Amino acid sequence: MCSLPVPREPLRRVAVTGGTHGNEMSGVYLARHWLRAPAELQRPSFSTMPVLANPEATAACRRYVGRDLNRTFTSSFLTARPTPEDPYEVTRARELNQLLGPKASGLAFDFVVDLHNTTANMGTCLIADSAHNVFAMHLCRHLQLQSPELPCPVFLYQLPGEESYSIDSVAKNGMALELGPQPQGVLRADLFLRMKSLVGKALDFIELFNQGTAFPAFEMDAYRTVSRVDFPRTEDGDLAGTVHPELQDRDFQPLRTGAPMFQLFSGKTVLYEGEATVYPIFINEAAYYEKGIALIQTEKFTFPVPALPPLSPDP
Amino acid sequence: MCSLPVPREPLRRVAVTGGTHGNEMSGVYLARHWLRAPAELQRPSFSTMPVLANPEATAACRRYVGRDLNRTFTSSFLTARPTPEDPYEVTRARELNQLLGPKASGLAFDFVVDLHNTTANMGTCLIADSAHNVFAMHLCRHLQLQSPELPCPVFLYQLPGEESYSIDSVAKNGMALELGPQPQGVLRADLFLRMKSLVGKALDFIELFNQGTAFPAFEMDAYRTVSRVDFPRTEDGDLAGTVHPELQDRDFQPLRTGAPMFQLFSGKTVLYEGEATVYPIFINEAAYYEKGIALIQTEKFTFPVPALPPLSPDP
C-alpha cells in the first residue's frame, strides 16, 4: 500500500469546522461556543480556528440553502469564474478555500476537523479519506484508545479515483466526526459533550505529535464503501417502501445474503441478495433520501498502519 | 365537568390527514399509500377520505413553506379576505376548510384523524382537545384497549379559553396521533406500521359506534398542559444550553423539584424549581426550537368519562 507522506514539520494551523450542514446541531453549537471561548481550542504548540462553515444554512436550520456545501470543494467549483447565479454554497466554498486553503497548495491549513451528525445509529464514527492517510489513521487510533468506553468505527469514504469534495479536503489533511443518532435540528447534550471531548483529544494528539512523540505501527480495522443502495421505488420514482425493521438502527452490523433489507408498503420484504457479507452504514439517513441513498454498503477490512516517526527537534 | 354533546347520528364523513407537517414522514407516506389504496380505509357504514394536507411542504420535505399549517385554522385566517401576499399555508388552510369544514358548520366532516411524528421520545401519544370531548375519549380508550402492548398516553392540548387552531378542528370532531421518536425526513417502518394499525383501529371504533354499540363509562388518565418552557438563552437570544441528559428522552416521566432540567454550554446544570411534580412532553422536539419551546410541562390527572350511549337503530 502506498502511503501519503506524513508531516515532517509541526502542525501550526488547525481549524475545527461546524455547521457545514446547517441542521447538524452538535457542530453548529460547538463552533458558536468556541467562537466565544476560543482558548479551549488552543494548545502550547499551535492555535486552532473555529469556523461556522455555512452561516446561511445554519440560520435557516437546513442542510444547505442552494446545494450541499460538503460536495462543493472540487476543482470545478473552486476554480470556475464566479457568476451572479452561483448558489450560495458555491460562493461560500470559494471563501472557505481562501480561508483554509487554497486546496492542494502549500498555503493551506495543516489540518481540519469537520463536525457532523447523522440520523442513523452510527455512534461515534471517525471518517477519513483512505487507508493511505497514515497521519489520520494514527489520529483515529488515538481517539479509539482515549475513548475505551466508546466503539469508534473508522469509515474510509473515498472511492478509488474519486476527486475529494469535502471541506477538510481544502486543507493539507483532515478528518470528520460523524455522531449519531441525532435528528436534524435537535441538540442533544450527550452528543454535544461527546463531540467536544473528541475534538479536545484530537487536538491533544496533534500537540503530542508536534512535541516529538513517536507513534508505533499497528493494525487498523476499518470500513470502506462498496456501493450506495437506493430505496425501493415506484415507477414514478416515489418510495415504494423503507428500511426493514430488522435492518433499521443496525449500522456497522453484518448483513448476510438473504437477510431482510427493505419492507415495501405492500407488506412484502425485500432481501439482501448480494453474495458477500456487507456492513451497512448511514442506514435511513434523512439527508440522503434526496440523493437516492437508503444506506451505504461497506466492507470491513484490516490493514497495517506504519509507525509515525517523531519529528526531529527544532534546529 | 360539562361534556360536549356526543354524536346522535352515525359518522358518515371521516378523513385521515397526513403531511400536515411536510417532514413528518409516517403521515406523508400513509396518505400517499391510501390515496393509491383507498379501500383499506373503507368500513361498511362509512367512507374515509385520505388527504395529503400540505403538498408543497411535503414536496420540499419541510414542516411548512410559509407558516405552520397546523396553527392556521383559526377564524381570523379562515375568514380574512384572501390577498396575493398570503403565505401558502393560509391559502391551503382555506382550501382544507372548504374540503373538510367549514369549521363550526353543520356541513363539516364528522371526524378527522390527523397524523404526526415527533423527534421526542413520546411513543404512541393520542392527542385530543380536552376532557370534555367524550367521543374522542372513548376512541382513545378503544385504542388503548386494542393495543395492550403499547402505552398510549393521552395528551389534552387545549388551554382554557384558547381558540382551536389545528386541522382537525375544522371537522365536527377529531384527534391526532403523535408517534415518536422519528427524525424529520426519515420514514421508519416500525412507526409506519404502528400508525397504520392505529388508524385502522380508530376506524373500527367508529364502525362499532355507527352499528349501535354502547360503550360504558370509565376513568381516564391523561396529561394536560401546564406551561411551555423555553431553552436557556444568551442575552442575544441564542441557546445557552440544551435539555439535560437526565431529562432527555424521559417524556411522560415525573420531573420533581430539584431535578436536572437543562445543561448549559458552560457545564452548569439548571434545576427544575417548580413546586409541583410535572410530566414533561415534547422534550427537545426539533420543530419547537423556533417556537421557543424546549418542552411542555403537563400535569397528570384522572377524570370520569361518562358512557357513550348506543345510537338508536335507523327508523
Side-chain angles (χ1 to χ4, degrees), chain A residues 30-82:
Chain A
L30 278 171
R32 287 177 170 164
H33 171 72
W34 283 322
L35 285 164
R36 282 191 284 255
E40 284 182 18
L41 292 179
Q42 305 317 307
R43 293 295 180 275
S45 68
F46 68 100
S47 65
T48 310
M49 182 169 66
V51 178
L52 187 65
N54 194 332
E56 286 207 9
T58 299
C61 198
R62 289 164 59 185
R63 184 174 176 89
Y64 56 81
V65 294
R67 59 166 279 123
D68 192 334
L69 177 64
N70 213 33
R71 303 292 183 276
T72 307
F73 295 90
T74 57
S75 63
S76 61
F77 283 115
L78 296 179
T79 62
R81 184 208 301 254

Side-chain angles (χ1 to χ4, degrees), chain B residues 157-168:
Chain B
Y157 75 95
Q158 203 163 35
L159 290 170
E162 191 180 44
E163 183 185 1
S164 61
Y165 48 68
S166 60
I167 187 170
D168 52 287

Side-chain angles (χ1 to χ4, degrees), chain B residues 22-146:
Chain B
N23 54 11
E24 298 180 6
M25 301 280 267
S26 303
V28 166
Y29 278 95
L30 278 171
R32 286 177 171 163
H33 171 71
W34 284 322
L35 286 164
R36 281 190 285 254
E40 285 182 17
L41 292 179
Q42 306 317 308
R43 294 293 181 276
S45 68
F46 68 102
S47 65
T48 309
M49 181 169 65
V51 178
L52 186 65
N54 194 332
E56 286 208 8
T58 298
C61 198
R62 289 164 58 184
R63 183 175 178 89
Y64 57 83
V65 294
R67 57 165 282 123
D68 192 334
L69 176 63
N70 213 33
R71 303 291 184 275
T72 307
F73 295 90
T74 58
S75 63
S76 60
F77 283 115
L78 297 178
T79 62
R81 183 208 301 255
T83 76
E85 290 74 37
D86 287 335
Y88 166 72
E89 279 83 3
V90 172
T91 305
R92 182 63 180 153
R94 292 184 186 126
E95 291 171 2
L96 291 164
N97 189 44
Q98 289 305 309
L99 182 71
L100 304 173
K103 184 170 179 171
S105 80
L107 297 171
F109 264 54
D110 294 309
F111 206 87
V112 166
V113 181
D114 190 33
L115 307 181
H116 290 268
N117 293 119
T118 171
T119 65
N121 187 26
M122 286 173 60
T124 304
C125 178
L126 314 177
I127 302 184
D129 50 359
S130 83
H132 305 303
N133 190 338
V134 170
F135 186 83
M137 292 304 97
H138 277 275
L139 172 44
C140 290
R141 180 69 175 160
H142 179 82
L143 295 179
Q144 290 174 333
L145 293 173
Q146 293 294 314

